[in-house]
Amino acid sequence: MLNGIIELVRFAVITFVASVAANVMVSMVAYVWGRIIRAQGNETMMRSRLARYARIATGLSNRVEARKNTAAGAATHLFTAQREEKALKGRIRELEKSPHRFVRMIGAEQFPNKPYEFLVFNSSVSHQVKRGEKHPFYDNSWAQPCPVHVWARGPEEAKAEFERVYPKASGFKAVFAQALTGAAAPKDSEEGAGVETADNPEMEPA
């Protein structure tokens, strides 16, 4: 009976030691094999790449957020501009229906500038109004000659300033031009002393 117990204990001890040794061997083999795989797979390089990709992803995310904020601000500005454009178009329609003459002004209304009047229409607007269409940029008032007052030092400067603001390439044409005198001309006896007042009745149309 005693011998049987001793043999059983010996078998248990041997089995335990063998299992521990086997676990140690497996762990060592797994460790060595893992080191070999890491060496073959360039673990350090992969880690550096992953870190770099993480920084790039973070930067892209920040840029996306910045672009979203910019887009939101641009949308607000666009909405404000559209609202102001709508208000201005409404004001233009009111002026078109007004019984008073709508005069467009160019230049500073002060001495030594003198006023010159141009009667102007836009050929593109005129053609589209005749077809029952609306010009994408200019209102329908340009279909008929409209007065434009240009304040300049002389006729040549007035013509050049007029053509700069209303270029022929955009369809604007002046059918009549004259220097304004009387109530429209500047009256400053002190500053205008010794300066000849422009009183030529007509100018050459632009």
Side-chain angles (χ1 to χ4, degrees):
M1 182 68 180
L2 182 60
N3 292 333
I5 294 174
I6 293 173
E7 291 295 331
L8 182 61
V9 172
R10 182 183 299 174
F11 175 77
V13 171
I14 293 173
T15 302
F16 175 75
V17 172
S19 62
V20 171
N23 288 334
V24 171
M25 290 295 296
V26 170
S27 299
M28 291 182 63
V29 171
Y31 175 77
V32 173
W33 183 250
R35 297 285 295 185
I36 293 173
I37 292 176
R38 290 178 179 178
Q40 291 179 349
N42 295 325
E43 180 187 9
T44 304
M45 183 180 298
M46 293 298 295
R47 286 181 180 274
S48 63
R49 287 184 179 179
L50 288 175
R52 186 169 67 253
Y53 292 156
R55 290 194 298 270
I56 293 174
T58 303
L60 289 175
S61 178
N62 294 336
R63 289 185 181 181
V64 169
E65 292 299 325
R67 293 292 175 85
K68 286 182 180 179
N69 295 334
T70 303
T76 302
H77 288 303
L78 178 61
F79 176 75
T80 303
Q82 289 176 342
R83 185 173 56 187
E84 292 177 353
E85 180 185 10
K86 185 177 180 180
L88 288 174
K89 286 183 178 179
R91 179 58 179 162
I92 289 175
R93 286 193 294 269
E94 292 177 1
L95 291 172
E96 288 176 350
K97 297 177 182 178
S98 174
H100 304 287
R101 191 171 70 163
F102 178 35
V103 180
R104 294 170 172 85
M105 307 292 295
I106 301 175
E109 303 178 46
Q110 60 186 12
F111 186 85
N113 292 344
K114 305 178 184 66
Y116 299 87
E117 183 177 54
F118 294 79
L119 291 181
V120 190
F121 80 102
N122 189 289
S123 57
S124 299
V125 176
S126 178
H127 294 328
Q128 289 194 298
V129 168
K130 289 178 181 178
R131 293 196 296 266
E133 300 174 354
K134 184 173 179 61
H135 197 277
F137 305 114
Y138 306 115
D139 58 88
N140 292 343
S141 64
W142 289 109
Q144 302 295 329
C146 301
V148 176
H149 288 181
V150 182
W151 287 74
R153 294 175 180 271
E156 295 300 326
E157 181 179 334
K159 183 177 179 181
E161 188 66 12
F162 167 78
E163 292 179 348
R164 182 186 67 82
V165 179
Y166 299 105
K168 293 181 180 179
S170 297
F172 291 99
K173 295 182 180 179
V175 296
F176 180 77
Q178 68 175 357
L180 294 178
T181 57
K187 295 179 179 180
D188 194 324
S189 58
E190 296 181 0
E191 293 185 3
V195 179
E196 182 181 357
T197 303
D199 57 356
N200 51 316
E202 294 185 10
M203 298 167 53
E204 182 182 354

